[in-house]
Amino acid sequence: GTLHNGADARHGCNISATDVILQNTRVQTTTGGSGTREGVLSSGARTTVRLVQIVDANLRATNLSGGDDLLEGVVVLGSDNSGLYVNGPRERIIGGVASATASQAMYLDSLADDSVLVGSVGGASQGPGNEVTVDASAENCVIVGNQIAGTIADASGTSTVNFNDLGTATLTVTGTASDGSLEADIVNGGQTLILTLANAVWINPVPAGSVWRALFDSGQAEAAGWDALEATILPDTAFVR
């Protein structure tokens, strides 16, 4: 439970060896909110960080990149960047808590393939950004059973994002197309339909444009009818996330 304060000169804990356990301690790397030091930095494989409290960090609260690491019951009370950040394969974040972070509460970066984030809580960040981010190159991650006060941004297209409590989910429909649009408006073209999700995520992986376009298909089969022409009128590129 002893607090180790690295101030602006040192990381709270810097691990480069393998098979290290850091448990039941508190770390801090800043008192003024500046510098480039992290709460717990580990480049060694199979690091376990268990029941550790990061009081404050002037960069990321955790930065684990060795692979096969475990963060269990880690609590982040403050960070000037991301909270629980991992960038190695097969990382595990279980039962973590990240609040008062200046960016994402949890971040699975490009090398975090096959990583798991489960049973964790992400509080509202101090600045812009999603509460949980999965990098586009982080393949086959699992983000399940977390309570997130914000949004989850999964850019990978290969990860499983399910059963997360994101608060009240809403869908707002906007655009120039509306119930009052006339047939002439549609014939002339140029209408837009915008669906905006709040506190929710699109089904994963997001279907290709042709799949979305098929939702506007017709049950009729006239030679010059909508069913024959909709692919030309609404090309895949018309559907943009």
Side-chain angles (χ1 to χ4, degrees):
T2 301
L3 176 64
H4 179 259
N5 188 355
D8 290 335
R10 295 284 187 272
H11 301 294
C13 183
N14 188 352
I15 302 169
S16 58
T18 59
D19 301 299
V20 174
I21 297 175
L22 176 66
Q23 182 168 307
N24 293 334
T25 190
R26 301 165 67 221
V27 297
Q28 176 175 302
T29 64
T30 182
T31 55
S34 63
T36 57
R37 301 296 172 177
E38 299 177 300
V40 178
L41 173 65
S42 175
S43 57
R46 299 179 300 277
T47 297
T48 295
V49 181
R50 179 182 290 121
L51 302 178
V52 171
Q53 183 184 83
I54 292 92
V55 178
D56 198 4
N58 54 23
L59 195 58
R60 304 176 186 94
T62 69
N63 181 354
L64 277 66
S65 60
D68 298 296
D69 302 311
L70 171 64
L71 289 86
E72 184 176 15
V74 177
V75 177
V76 179
L77 299 181
S79 170
D80 294 337
N81 197 281
S82 297
L84 300 173
Y85 172 92
V86 295
N87 194 26
R90 301 172 302 278
E91 308 283 24
R92 302 291 185 266
I93 302 176
I94 300 174
V97 177
S99 61
T101 61
S103 188
Q104 294 87 356
M106 292 93 171
Y107 197 116
L108 281 61
D109 213 339
S110 58
L111 300 180
D113 294 357
D114 305 303
S115 292
V116 173
L117 171 61
V118 61
S120 296
V121 178
S125 62
Q126 297 174 349
N130 300 287
E131 293 307 316
V132 177
T133 295
V134 182
D135 187 85
S137 298
E139 298 179 350
N140 303 317
C141 296
V142 176
I143 315 297
V144 172
N146 302 283
Q147 183 177 348
I148 307 299
T151 57
I152 298 175
D154 171 29
S156 70
T158 61
S159 297
T160 299
V161 181
N162 212 343
F163 303 112
N164 297 287
D165 180 4
L166 303 177
T168 302
T170 60
L171 171 65
T172 303
V173 181
T174 56
T176 57
S178 67
D179 289 343
S181 296
L182 302 176
E183 180 180 359
D185 297 326
I186 306 303
V187 171
N188 291 334
Q191 302 295 320
T192 61
L193 182 64
I194 302 171
L195 309 178
T196 304
L197 295 179
N199 295 326
V201 294
W202 292 104
I203 57 173
N204 184 64
V206 174
S210 60
V211 176
W212 290 105
R213 178 173 52 75
L215 299 177
F216 292 82
D217 203 355
S218 170
Q220 306 302 315
E222 299 90 346
W226 174 258
D227 188 65
L229 300 178
E230 54 93 9
T232 302
I233 297 171
L234 290 175
D236 293 355
T237 54
F239 294 85
V240 180
R241 183 183 180 186

